[in-house]
Amino acid sequence: MILDTATAATMLIAGFLVLIFIRIPVAFALGLATLPVVLLELRLTPFIVLDRMFQSYNSFILLAVPFFLLAANLMNSGKVTDRLIELARVLTGWMPGGLGHVNVAVSMLFAGISGSSTADAAGIGKILIPAMQKEGYDTRFAVAITACSSVMGVIIPPSILMIVWGGVMQVSVGALFLGGAIPGLMIGLALMATVYGFAKARNYPVTATPNWGEFWAAWKGAALALLTPVFVIGGIVGGLVTPTESAIIAAGYALILGMFVYRTVTPKDLGFILYDTARFAAISLFAIGTASAFGWLLSFYDAPRLIVSILTAWEFGAFGTAILIALLFLLFGLFIDAIPTIIILGTVLMPVAQAGGVDPIAFAIIGIVSLAFGLVTPPYGLCLLISAAIGGLNVVQALREVVLILAPMLVILILLAAFPEIILWLPKTVMPGAFR
Amino acid sequence: MLGKYLDKFCAGLRILLGVMMGALAIPVAMQVVSRYTGLIPTYLWTEELATFLFVWIVMIGSIVAVWDGTHFDVRITRNAMRPLPRLLQDGIVHVAIMIFGAFFLFYGIEYTEFGGNQRSVMMRANLAITHISVPIAGGFWLLLSCYRLSEVIAQYLNRESSQT
């Protein structure tokens, strides 16, 4: 039989939703949802699912993902994270709610090096959640602030999600990196203001007021790690290296720091780090394949055009379109991993953004910031799951604090939708060529 | 008994994943070194080799994750406590993976033949070397999920017999 757009789109989307409801892993649910369509449709062969999956892996830019994960894992194992925490402590620990600020500040530093939110939550959470519990912080707050601050990993450059976005949607990764910088800093400051509010309300302590000696020692200790964003972001923005090359340089640099400079990574550790990186990357990237097949089928049946015609008929304008985009990404991000969401929803909404007058870079950053919320919201909040596991809590127990911490971040998302120049100013200034 | 063998097999795959991840770094690093230092000549096959390794890492990683149960899922409903609902809740996941595995195995054979008729641009490698990862992955998802399903059924039968 020949399926029409509405029937095929309903079969795909309803099938997928039913499958994830009965707990089929997301990557398999995406693939399984395509089977009834390709088996029924006369114009298609089931072969197409395999081929679209394979085509999606045939992308050199995607190789950046395992290497950025490797860099982050090497940083965590090589005690580079400890040095960043020490630096964050002397910079922000003197404020009320000291360790909460340290948590946010170190996430910003880590985000500038790694590009992975989950590595951030795992690496920093392991050290700071027990330290916060020891200093009398409520565990729910410690878990919530660790999870919420870790989302900056995908917003502050370098970012794995931006690399995937750039690769899938043919947008300059350098411009995306620059576009994420100011929103990332705004979210960091908003999180610190929230920590201050909690500290005042709950009498959280000041960690320590550092003297000049400690201050200098902390800077010196973290200086080599802090060079990473200089050559990663600088290299990509300056057009010197591709994202994949910058990722391998970051991983190589982290390896040199861990094995030869700080001597905290042994060859045995390296074996486990390599396996753990490959395992996590494979799980995330496998979903890219099935998401690509799913997204391709939606395109085959012209579902994006149908969605565009419906949404553009409402004439939302640029702000309304940006808010709609944010809402859809927020909704999808609740249930699906960010990478498949970019492949399925990002490609569908790209023409909607264009029709609504939203710049592609602003569209990307609004999408990525919205998806970052999904990292800390159940049922699929990976960073919250990791942090809650470290704190020994059930995810639901930390939800109230998470909602309170996310509220100012939501305000920032609305600001980005209303004033996209916040996103665009830096890339337009540094990389005007990306806008021609 | 079979479970022990499968466990050992997956332990072997974990080692292979680590080795392949290390190997993946070599061609990409070679590209960087040749481009920026001129210490080694520019090899055109490095990108292709990296992509081949990448495909295998993804497929082998997916097999290990099926065995470990670490593919990401979404838990909207509560964990079933009674034996039969528990059997249905866990069993349906394994059955679904088995179906997808069977699909990959069946169509993957044809896909491998299709790859066998093509050669890569730079290395002139027969593309069956990567396409064959599809039926292999499908076959192992099927086998491993089948074993996990048998475990879930055995657990159900044990609980039932202990209750009666």
mmCIF file of all heavy atoms in Angstrom, chain A residues 23-26 46-47 51 53-54 58 60 240-241 245 275 285-286 335 379-380, chain B residues 14 31 35-36 47 51 54 72 74 77-79 93 96 100 104 107 111 130 134 141:
data_model
loop_
_atom_site.group_PDB
_atom_site.id
_atom_site.type_symbol
_atom_site.label_atom_id
_atom_site.label_comp_id
_atom_site.label_asym_id
_atom_site.label_seq_id
_atom_site.Cartn_x
_atom_site.Cartn_y
_atom_site.Cartn_z
ATOM 1 N N ARG A 23 8.775 1.135 27.995
ATOM 2 C CA ARG A 23 10.184 1.054 28.426
ATOM 3 C C ARG A 23 11.143 0.440 27.410
ATOM 4 O O ARG A 23 12.211 -0.074 27.790
ATOM 5 C CB ARG A 23 10.317 0.301 29.751
ATOM 6 C CG ARG A 23 9.600 0.959 30.896
ATOM 7 C CD ARG A 23 9.944 0.237 32.163
ATOM 8 N NE ARG A 23 9.417 0.943 33.321
ATOM 9 C CZ ARG A 23 9.733 0.650 34.565
ATOM 10 N NH1 ARG A 23 10.569 -0.333 34.809
ATOM 11 N NH2 ARG A 23 9.238 1.323 35.566
ATOM 12 N N ILE A 24 10.788 0.450 26.153
ATOM 13 C CA ILE A 24 11.761 -0.011 25.155
ATOM 14 C C ILE A 24 12.844 1.068 25.084
ATOM 15 O O ILE A 24 12.519 2.259 25.011
ATOM 16 C CB ILE A 24 11.090 -0.158 23.757
ATOM 17 C CG1 ILE A 24 9.821 -1.027 23.837
ATOM 18 C CG2 ILE A 24 12.091 -0.715 22.734
ATOM 19 C CD1 ILE A 24 9.992 -2.414 24.366
ATOM 20 N N PRO A 25 14.137 0.705 25.116
ATOM 21 C CA PRO A 25 15.187 1.730 25.031
ATOM 22 C C PRO A 25 14.966 2.661 23.832
ATOM 23 O O PRO A 25 14.527 2.201 22.761
ATOM 24 C CB PRO A 25 16.464 0.903 24.870
ATOM 25 C CG PRO A 25 16.152 -0.407 25.505
ATOM 26 C CD PRO A 25 14.694 -0.649 25.250
ATOM 27 N N VAL A 26 15.251 3.950 24.043
ATOM 28 C CA VAL A 26 14.911 4.983 23.050
ATOM 29 C C VAL A 26 15.466 4.649 21.665
ATOM 30 O O VAL A 26 14.754 4.760 20.653
ATOM 31 C CB VAL A 26 15.424 6.366 23.523
ATOM 32 C CG1 VAL A 26 15.196 7.422 22.460
ATOM 33 C CG2 VAL A 26 14.724 6.757 24.809
ATOM 34 N N PRO A 46 12.707 -2.317 3.393
ATOM 35 C CA PRO A 46 13.245 -2.264 4.763
ATOM 36 C C PRO A 46 14.747 -1.957 4.787
ATOM 37 O O PRO A 46 15.279 -1.460 5.781
ATOM 38 C CB PRO A 46 12.977 -3.674 5.294
ATOM 39 C CG PRO A 46 11.850 -4.192 4.489
ATOM 40 C CD PRO A 46 11.992 -3.578 3.131
ATOM 41 N N PHE A 47 15.377 -2.262 3.690
ATOM 42 C CA PHE A 47 16.792 -1.981 3.489
ATOM 43 C C PHE A 47 17.145 -0.516 3.819
ATOM 44 O O PHE A 47 18.223 -0.199 4.290
ATOM 45 C CB PHE A 47 16.993 -2.217 1.985
ATOM 46 C CG PHE A 47 18.388 -2.472 1.564
ATOM 47 C CD1 PHE A 47 18.982 -3.686 1.812
ATOM 48 C CD2 PHE A 47 19.097 -1.498 0.889
ATOM 49 C CE1 PHE A 47 20.266 -3.924 1.379
ATOM 50 C CE2 PHE A 47 20.375 -1.731 0.478
ATOM 51 C CZ PHE A 47 20.965 -2.949 0.715
ATOM 52 N N ASP A 51 20.360 1.442 5.641
ATOM 53 C CA ASP A 51 21.199 2.356 4.867
ATOM 54 C C ASP A 51 21.223 3.756 5.476
ATOM 55 O O ASP A 51 22.275 4.381 5.544
ATOM 56 C CB ASP A 51 20.709 2.413 3.411
ATOM 57 C CG ASP A 51 21.800 2.922 2.496
ATOM 58 O OD1 ASP A 51 22.940 2.439 2.633
ATOM 59 O OD2 ASP A 51 21.530 3.832 1.696
ATOM 60 N N MET A 53 20.783 4.497 8.585
ATOM 61 C CA MET A 53 21.583 4.405 9.815
ATOM 62 C C MET A 53 23.062 4.499 9.466
ATOM 63 O O MET A 53 23.812 5.270 10.067
ATOM 64 C CB MET A 53 21.329 3.068 10.516
ATOM 65 C CG MET A 53 20.104 3.031 11.372
ATOM 66 S SD MET A 53 20.007 1.496 12.300
ATOM 67 C CE MET A 53 21.222 1.765 13.593
ATOM 68 N N PHE A 54 23.455 3.707 8.471
ATOM 69 C CA PHE A 54 24.863 3.656 8.102
ATOM 70 C C PHE A 54 25.349 5.000 7.564
ATOM 71 O O PHE A 54 26.461 5.426 7.860
ATOM 72 C CB PHE A 54 25.083 2.553 7.066
ATOM 73 C CG PHE A 54 26.008 1.508 7.581
ATOM 74 C CD1 PHE A 54 25.629 0.716 8.657
ATOM 75 C CD2 PHE A 54 27.255 1.313 7.029
ATOM 76 C CE1 PHE A 54 26.492 -0.240 9.167
ATOM 77 C CE2 PHE A 54 28.115 0.356 7.538
ATOM 78 C CZ PHE A 54 27.731 -0.424 8.598
ATOM 79 N N ASN A 58 28.528 7.743 8.751
ATOM 80 C CA ASN A 58 29.587 8.073 7.810
ATOM 81 C C ASN A 58 29.869 9.579 7.831
ATOM 82 O O ASN A 58 29.850 10.246 6.821
ATOM 83 C CB ASN A 58 29.146 7.624 6.408
ATOM 84 C CG ASN A 58 30.315 7.493 5.471
ATOM 85 O OD1 ASN A 58 31.459 7.498 5.913
ATOM 86 N ND2 ASN A 58 30.030 7.394 4.195
ATOM 87 N N PHE A 60 32.494 12.421 9.427
ATOM 88 C CA PHE A 60 33.766 12.639 10.131
ATOM 89 C C PHE A 60 33.571 13.535 11.350
ATOM 90 O O PHE A 60 34.230 13.362 12.371
ATOM 91 C CB PHE A 60 34.783 13.245 9.168
ATOM 92 C CG PHE A 60 36.186 13.233 9.715
ATOM 93 C CD1 PHE A 60 36.852 12.042 9.938
ATOM 94 C CD2 PHE A 60 36.837 14.414 10.014
ATOM 95 C CE1 PHE A 60 38.143 12.025 10.454
ATOM 96 C CE2 PHE A 60 38.124 14.408 10.530
ATOM 97 C CZ PHE A 60 38.777 13.202 10.745
ATOM 98 N N LEU A 240 41.399 27.131 12.201
ATOM 99 C CA LEU A 240 42.665 26.400 12.122
ATOM 100 C C LEU A 240 42.448 24.889 12.157
ATOM 101 O O LEU A 240 43.184 24.136 11.536
ATOM 102 C CB LEU A 240 43.582 26.804 13.285
ATOM 103 C CG LEU A 240 44.007 28.271 13.322
ATOM 104 C CD1 LEU A 240 44.735 28.574 14.622
ATOM 105 C CD2 LEU A 240 44.912 28.579 12.136
ATOM 106 N N VAL A 241 41.458 24.469 12.936
ATOM 107 C CA VAL A 241 41.209 23.024 13.053
ATOM 108 C C VAL A 241 39.719 22.737 12.873
ATOM 109 O O VAL A 241 38.877 23.605 13.086
ATOM 110 C CB VAL A 241 41.639 22.471 14.437
ATOM 111 C CG1 VAL A 241 43.130 22.448 14.587
ATOM 112 C CG2 VAL A 241 40.991 23.253 15.568
ATOM 113 N N GLU A 245 39.278 17.459 14.770
ATOM 114 C CA GLU A 245 40.703 17.648 15.093
ATOM 115 C C GLU A 245 40.860 18.312 16.454
ATOM 116 O O GLU A 245 41.733 17.932 17.241
ATOM 117 C CB GLU A 245 41.377 18.489 13.995
ATOM 118 C CG GLU A 245 41.556 17.714 12.698
ATOM 119 C CD GLU A 245 42.005 18.598 11.539
ATOM 120 O OE1 GLU A 245 41.955 19.847 11.665
ATOM 121 O OE2 GLU A 245 42.389 18.041 10.510
ATOM 122 N N TYR A 275 37.720 2.215 27.364
ATOM 123 C CA TYR A 275 36.529 1.376 27.264
ATOM 124 C C TYR A 275 35.282 2.168 27.650
ATOM 125 O O TYR A 275 34.268 2.157 26.945
ATOM 126 C CB TYR A 275 36.656 0.132 28.161
ATOM 127 C CG TYR A 275 35.307 -0.405 28.555
ATOM 128 C CD1 TYR A 275 34.470 -0.972 27.588
ATOM 129 C CD2 TYR A 275 34.823 -0.279 29.861
ATOM 130 C CE1 TYR A 275 33.197 -1.410 27.921
ATOM 131 C CE2 TYR A 275 33.552 -0.701 30.195
ATOM 132 C CZ TYR A 275 32.749 -1.267 29.220
ATOM 133 O OH TYR A 275 31.484 -1.685 29.545
ATOM 134 N N LEU A 285 25.636 7.303 20.265
ATOM 135 C CA LEU A 285 25.729 7.417 18.803
ATOM 136 C C LEU A 285 24.887 6.367 18.085
ATOM 137 O O LEU A 285 24.445 6.597 16.963
ATOM 138 C CB LEU A 285 27.192 7.332 18.366
ATOM 139 C CG LEU A 285 28.027 8.506 18.884
ATOM 140 C CD1 LEU A 285 29.509 8.245 18.696
ATOM 141 C CD2 LEU A 285 27.642 9.798 18.195
ATOM 142 N N PHE A 286 24.641 5.236 18.741
ATOM 143 C CA PHE A 286 23.764 4.239 18.131
ATOM 144 C C PHE A 286 22.382 4.862 17.895
ATOM 145 O O PHE A 286 21.748 4.641 16.860
ATOM 146 C CB PHE A 286 23.672 3.006 19.033
ATOM 147 C CG PHE A 286 22.705 1.971 18.543
ATOM 148 C CD1 PHE A 286 22.885 1.360 17.317
ATOM 149 C CD2 PHE A 286 21.586 1.622 19.297
ATOM 150 C CE1 PHE A 286 21.980 0.413 16.851
ATOM 151 C CE2 PHE A 286 20.684 0.686 18.833
ATOM 152 C CZ PHE A 286 20.884 0.084 17.606
ATOM 153 N N PHE A 335 11.660 13.402 27.196
ATOM 154 C CA PHE A 335 11.533 11.964 26.936
ATOM 155 C C PHE A 335 12.676 11.346 26.131
ATOM 156 O O PHE A 335 12.876 10.143 26.179
ATOM 157 C CB PHE A 335 10.219 11.683 26.183
ATOM 158 C CG PHE A 335 9.011 12.139 26.952
ATOM 159 C CD1 PHE A 335 8.358 13.304 26.613
ATOM 160 C CD2 PHE A 335 8.570 11.406 28.038
ATOM 161 C CE1 PHE A 335 7.249 13.731 27.343
ATOM 162 C CE2 PHE A 335 7.465 11.825 28.765
ATOM 163 C CZ PHE A 335 6.811 12.996 28.417
ATOM 164 N N PRO A 379 11.236 12.204 32.928
ATOM 165 C CA PRO A 379 11.818 10.915 33.302
ATOM 166 C C PRO A 379 13.198 10.654 32.691
ATOM 167 O O PRO A 379 13.815 9.666 33.026
ATOM 168 C CB PRO A 379 10.794 9.926 32.721
ATOM 169 C CG PRO A 379 10.200 10.648 31.556
ATOM 170 C CD PRO A 379 10.180 12.085 31.916
ATOM 171 N N TYR A 380 13.668 11.549 31.797
ATOM 172 C CA TYR A 380 14.912 11.240 31.100
ATOM 173 C C TYR A 380 15.986 12.277 31.411
ATOM 174 O O TYR A 380 16.628 12.780 30.518
ATOM 175 C CB TYR A 380 14.642 11.155 29.593
ATOM 176 C CG TYR A 380 15.763 10.512 28.832
ATOM 177 C CD1 TYR A 380 15.924 9.146 28.859
ATOM 178 C CD2 TYR A 380 16.663 11.272 28.124
ATOM 179 C CE1 TYR A 380 16.972 8.555 28.187
ATOM 180 C CE2 TYR A 380 17.717 10.694 27.448
ATOM 181 C CZ TYR A 380 17.865 9.337 27.477
ATOM 182 O OH TYR A 380 18.904 8.758 26.826
ATOM 183 N N ARG B 14 34.242 -5.874 25.659
ATOM 184 C CA ARG B 14 34.610 -4.644 26.385
ATOM 185 C C ARG B 14 36.078 -4.319 26.151
ATOM 186 O O ARG B 14 36.439 -3.163 25.929
ATOM 187 C CB ARG B 14 34.338 -4.799 27.886
ATOM 188 C CG ARG B 14 32.865 -4.776 28.206
ATOM 189 C CD ARG B 14 32.598 -4.744 29.714
ATOM 190 N NE ARG B 14 31.207 -5.062 29.920
ATOM 191 C CZ ARG B 14 30.739 -6.265 30.258
ATOM 192 N NH1 ARG B 14 31.580 -7.258 30.477
ATOM 193 N NH2 ARG B 14 29.452 -6.484 30.388
ATOM 194 N N GLN B 31 46.165 12.573 11.062
ATOM 195 C CA GLN B 31 45.700 13.690 10.224
ATOM 196 C C GLN B 31 46.176 15.026 10.772
ATOM 197 O O GLN B 31 46.659 15.892 10.044
ATOM 198 C CB GLN B 31 44.167 13.706 10.199
ATOM 199 C CG GLN B 31 43.579 12.931 9.061
ATOM 200 C CD GLN B 31 42.118 13.285 8.854
ATOM 201 O OE1 GLN B 31 41.475 13.837 9.714
ATOM 202 N NE2 GLN B 31 41.604 12.946 7.708
ATOM 203 N N ARG B 35 48.931 17.451 9.061
ATOM 204 C CA ARG B 35 48.469 18.777 8.609
ATOM 205 C C ARG B 35 49.255 19.920 9.236
ATOM 206 O O ARG B 35 49.521 20.926 8.592
ATOM 207 C CB ARG B 35 46.987 18.936 8.961
ATOM 208 C CG ARG B 35 46.147 19.276 7.748
ATOM 209 C CD ARG B 35 44.708 19.346 8.115
ATOM 210 N NE ARG B 35 44.315 20.733 8.327
ATOM 211 C CZ ARG B 35 43.090 21.115 8.593
ATOM 212 N NH1 ARG B 35 42.147 20.236 8.718
ATOM 213 N NH2 ARG B 35 42.815 22.385 8.756
ATOM 214 N N TYR B 36 49.620 19.762 10.508
ATOM 215 C CA TYR B 36 50.213 20.907 11.212
ATOM 216 C C TYR B 36 51.713 20.817 11.436
ATOM 217 O O TYR B 36 52.331 21.795 11.808
ATOM 218 C CB TYR B 36 49.475 21.139 12.537
ATOM 219 C CG TYR B 36 48.030 21.433 12.292
ATOM 220 C CD1 TYR B 36 47.055 20.468 12.496
ATOM 221 C CD2 TYR B 36 47.630 22.665 11.775
ATOM 222 C CE1 TYR B 36 45.729 20.724 12.220
ATOM 223 C CE2 TYR B 36 46.306 22.933 11.493
ATOM 224 C CZ TYR B 36 45.359 21.967 11.710
ATOM 225 O OH TYR B 36 44.054 22.206 11.416
ATOM 226 N N GLU B 47 40.907 9.203 7.196
ATOM 227 C CA GLU B 47 39.516 9.555 7.509
ATOM 228 C C GLU B 47 38.608 8.333 7.316
ATOM 229 O O GLU B 47 37.721 8.071 8.133
ATOM 230 C CB GLU B 47 39.082 10.710 6.597
ATOM 231 C CG GLU B 47 37.753 11.305 7.005
ATOM 232 C CD GLU B 47 37.427 12.579 6.232
ATOM 233 O OE1 GLU B 47 38.344 13.378 5.995
ATOM 234 O OE2 GLU B 47 36.250 12.765 5.888
ATOM 235 N N THR B 51 36.411 6.230 10.127
ATOM 236 C CA THR B 51 34.961 6.005 10.002
ATOM 237 C C THR B 51 34.622 4.524 10.134
ATOM 238 O O THR B 51 33.641 4.162 10.779
ATOM 239 C CB THR B 51 34.454 6.544 8.645
ATOM 240 O OG1 THR B 51 35.006 7.832 8.454
ATOM 241 C CG2 THR B 51 32.952 6.650 8.610
ATOM 242 N N PHE B 54 34.856 3.616 13.713
ATOM 243 C CA PHE B 54 33.747 4.283 14.401
ATOM 244 C C PHE B 54 32.465 3.429 14.282
ATOM 245 O O PHE B 54 31.768 3.202 15.277
ATOM 246 C CB PHE B 54 33.567 5.653 13.746
ATOM 247 C CG PHE B 54 32.477 6.512 14.334
ATOM 248 C CD1 PHE B 54 32.538 6.943 15.638
ATOM 249 C CD2 PHE B 54 31.406 6.920 13.555
ATOM 250 C CE1 PHE B 54 31.550 7.757 16.164
ATOM 251 C CE2 PHE B 54 30.416 7.741 14.066
ATOM 252 C CZ PHE B 54 30.487 8.148 15.372
ATOM 253 N N PHE B 72 19.649 3.630 26.968
ATOM 254 C CA PHE B 72 18.797 4.562 27.718
ATOM 255 C C PHE B 72 17.311 4.257 27.489
ATOM 256 O O PHE B 72 16.862 4.174 26.347
ATOM 257 C CB PHE B 72 19.057 5.996 27.268
ATOM 258 C CG PHE B 72 20.484 6.428 27.435
ATOM 259 C CD1 PHE B 72 21.104 7.201 26.466
ATOM 260 C CD2 PHE B 72 21.209 6.066 28.554
ATOM 261 C CE1 PHE B 72 22.427 7.593 26.599
ATOM 262 C CE2 PHE B 72 22.534 6.452 28.701
ATOM 263 C CZ PHE B 72 23.144 7.217 27.720
ATOM 264 N N VAL B 74 13.152 5.188 29.112
ATOM 265 C CA VAL B 74 12.378 6.214 29.820
ATOM 266 C C VAL B 74 11.411 5.492 30.747
ATOM 267 O O VAL B 74 10.661 4.636 30.295
ATOM 268 C CB VAL B 74 11.598 7.080 28.805
ATOM 269 C CG1 VAL B 74 10.770 8.122 29.530
ATOM 270 C CG2 VAL B 74 12.545 7.743 27.825
ATOM 271 N N THR B 77 6.296 4.734 33.894
ATOM 272 C CA THR B 77 5.440 3.911 34.758
ATOM 273 C C THR B 77 6.248 3.373 35.943
ATOM 274 O O THR B 77 7.477 3.341 35.905
ATOM 275 C CB THR B 77 4.901 2.714 33.952
ATOM 276 O OG1 THR B 77 6.008 2.075 33.307
ATOM 277 C CG2 THR B 77 3.906 3.165 32.907
ATOM 278 N N ARG B 78 5.524 2.943 36.986
ATOM 279 C CA ARG B 78 6.196 2.389 38.166
ATOM 280 C C ARG B 78 6.710 0.981 37.890
ATOM 281 O O ARG B 78 6.172 0.291 37.031
ATOM 282 C CB ARG B 78 5.204 2.306 39.327
ATOM 283 C CG ARG B 78 4.943 3.645 39.953
ATOM 284 C CD ARG B 78 4.084 3.435 41.176
ATOM 285 N NE ARG B 78 3.780 4.716 41.788
ATOM 286 C CZ ARG B 78 3.045 4.837 42.862
ATOM 287 N NH1 ARG B 78 2.517 3.772 43.433
ATOM 288 N NH2 ARG B 78 2.815 6.022 43.374
ATOM 289 N N ASN B 79 7.716 0.569 38.688
ATOM 290 C CA ASN B 79 8.200 -0.813 38.563
ATOM 291 C C ASN B 79 7.112 -1.756 39.042
ATOM 292 O O ASN B 79 6.556 -1.553 40.125
ATOM 293 C CB ASN B 79 9.439 -1.022 39.434
ATOM 294 C CG ASN B 79 10.662 -0.417 38.798
ATOM 295 O OD1 ASN B 79 10.698 -0.191 37.593
ATOM 296 N ND2 ASN B 79 11.666 -0.131 39.607
ATOM 297 N N VAL B 93 10.472 -5.800 26.790
ATOM 298 C CA VAL B 93 11.665 -5.067 26.335
ATOM 299 C C VAL B 93 12.583 -6.015 25.568
ATOM 300 O O VAL B 93 13.071 -5.698 24.474
ATOM 301 C CB VAL B 93 12.419 -4.433 27.537
ATOM 302 C CG1 VAL B 93 13.725 -3.808 27.094
ATOM 303 C CG2 VAL B 93 11.537 -3.403 28.221
ATOM 304 N N ALA B 96 11.101 -6.958 22.220
ATOM 305 C CA ALA B 96 11.226 -5.862 21.244
ATOM 306 C C ALA B 96 12.641 -5.823 20.658
ATOM 307 O O ALA B 96 12.816 -5.674 19.440
ATOM 308 C CB ALA B 96 10.899 -4.538 21.914
ATOM 309 N N PHE B 100 13.912 -6.379 16.684
ATOM 310 C CA PHE B 100 14.814 -5.487 15.934
ATOM 311 C C PHE B 100 16.093 -6.229 15.531
ATOM 312 O O PHE B 100 16.639 -6.032 14.450
ATOM 313 C CB PHE B 100 15.139 -4.249 16.771
ATOM 314 C CG PHE B 100 15.562 -3.051 15.947
ATOM 315 C CD1 PHE B 100 14.774 -2.598 14.900
ATOM 316 C CD2 PHE B 100 16.745 -2.379 16.219
ATOM 317 C CE1 PHE B 100 15.152 -1.499 14.142
ATOM 318 C CE2 PHE B 100 17.139 -1.279 15.460
ATOM 319 C CZ PHE B 100 16.333 -0.842 14.421
ATOM 320 N N PHE B 104 17.552 -6.811 11.798
ATOM 321 C CA PHE B 104 18.937 -6.468 11.427
ATOM 322 C C PHE B 104 19.651 -7.689 10.840
ATOM 323 O O PHE B 104 20.404 -7.566 9.882
ATOM 324 C CB PHE B 104 19.699 -5.969 12.669
ATOM 325 C CG PHE B 104 19.892 -4.488 12.687
ATOM 326 C CD1 PHE B 104 18.809 -3.631 12.600
ATOM 327 C CD2 PHE B 104 21.161 -3.927 12.800
ATOM 328 C CE1 PHE B 104 18.975 -2.257 12.622
ATOM 329 C CE2 PHE B 104 21.340 -2.552 12.820
ATOM 330 C CZ PHE B 104 20.251 -1.724 12.736
ATOM 331 N N TYR B 107 17.780 -8.618 7.156
ATOM 332 C CA TYR B 107 18.075 -7.658 6.078
ATOM 333 C C TYR B 107 19.561 -7.288 6.021
ATOM 334 O O TYR B 107 20.054 -6.813 5.011
ATOM 335 C CB TYR B 107 17.208 -6.408 6.215
ATOM 336 C CG TYR B 107 15.761 -6.688 5.883
ATOM 337 C CD1 TYR B 107 14.830 -6.869 6.899
ATOM 338 C CD2 TYR B 107 15.343 -6.829 4.565
ATOM 339 C CE1 TYR B 107 13.506 -7.164 6.603
ATOM 340 C CE2 TYR B 107 14.021 -7.130 4.259
ATOM 341 C CZ TYR B 107 13.106 -7.288 5.284
ATOM 342 O OH TYR B 107 11.811 -7.589 4.975
ATOM 343 N N TYR B 111 22.251 -6.547 3.085
ATOM 344 C CA TYR B 111 22.983 -5.281 3.141
ATOM 345 C C TYR B 111 24.492 -5.527 3.035
ATOM 346 O O TYR B 111 25.225 -4.756 2.412
ATOM 347 C CB TYR B 111 22.641 -4.547 4.442
ATOM 348 C CG TYR B 111 23.086 -3.106 4.459
ATOM 349 C CD1 TYR B 111 22.618 -2.204 3.510
ATOM 350 C CD2 TYR B 111 23.989 -2.638 5.420
ATOM 351 C CE1 TYR B 111 23.019 -0.883 3.518
ATOM 352 C CE2 TYR B 111 24.391 -1.313 5.439
ATOM 353 C CZ TYR B 111 23.901 -0.438 4.488
ATOM 354 O OH TYR B 111 24.309 0.866 4.492
ATOM 355 N N THR B 130 32.496 -3.227 6.786
ATOM 356 C CA THR B 130 31.707 -2.482 7.782
ATOM 357 C C THR B 130 30.253 -2.931 7.746
ATOM 358 O O THR B 130 29.613 -3.045 8.781
ATOM 359 C CB THR B 130 31.765 -0.959 7.548
ATOM 360 O OG1 THR B 130 31.432 -0.693 6.185
ATOM 361 C CG2 THR B 130 33.107 -0.391 7.892
ATOM 362 N N VAL B 134 26.262 -5.049 10.653
ATOM 363 C CA VAL B 134 24.805 -4.974 10.833
ATOM 364 C C VAL B 134 24.224 -6.353 11.196
ATOM 365 O O VAL B 134 23.602 -6.491 12.250
ATOM 366 C CB VAL B 134 24.124 -4.376 9.575
ATOM 367 C CG1 VAL B 134 22.614 -4.480 9.674
ATOM 368 C CG2 VAL B 134 24.548 -2.936 9.385
ATOM 369 N N TRP B 141 22.200 -9.135 19.312
ATOM 370 C CA TRP B 141 21.056 -8.571 20.074
ATOM 371 C C TRP B 141 20.019 -9.668 20.275
ATOM 372 O O TRP B 141 19.453 -9.805 21.350
ATOM 373 C CB TRP B 141 20.376 -7.421 19.332
ATOM 374 C CG TRP B 141 21.207 -6.226 19.060
ATOM 375 C CD1 TRP B 141 22.351 -5.840 19.691
ATOM 376 C CD2 TRP B 141 20.966 -5.239 18.044
ATOM 377 N NE1 TRP B 141 22.830 -4.687 19.131
ATOM 378 C CE2 TRP B 141 22.001 -4.291 18.135
ATOM 379 C CE3 TRP B 141 19.979 -5.061 17.078
ATOM 380 C CZ2 TRP B 141 22.071 -3.182 17.284
ATOM 381 C CZ3 TRP B 141 20.033 -3.960 16.243
ATOM 382 C CH2 TRP B 141 21.077 -3.032 16.347
#
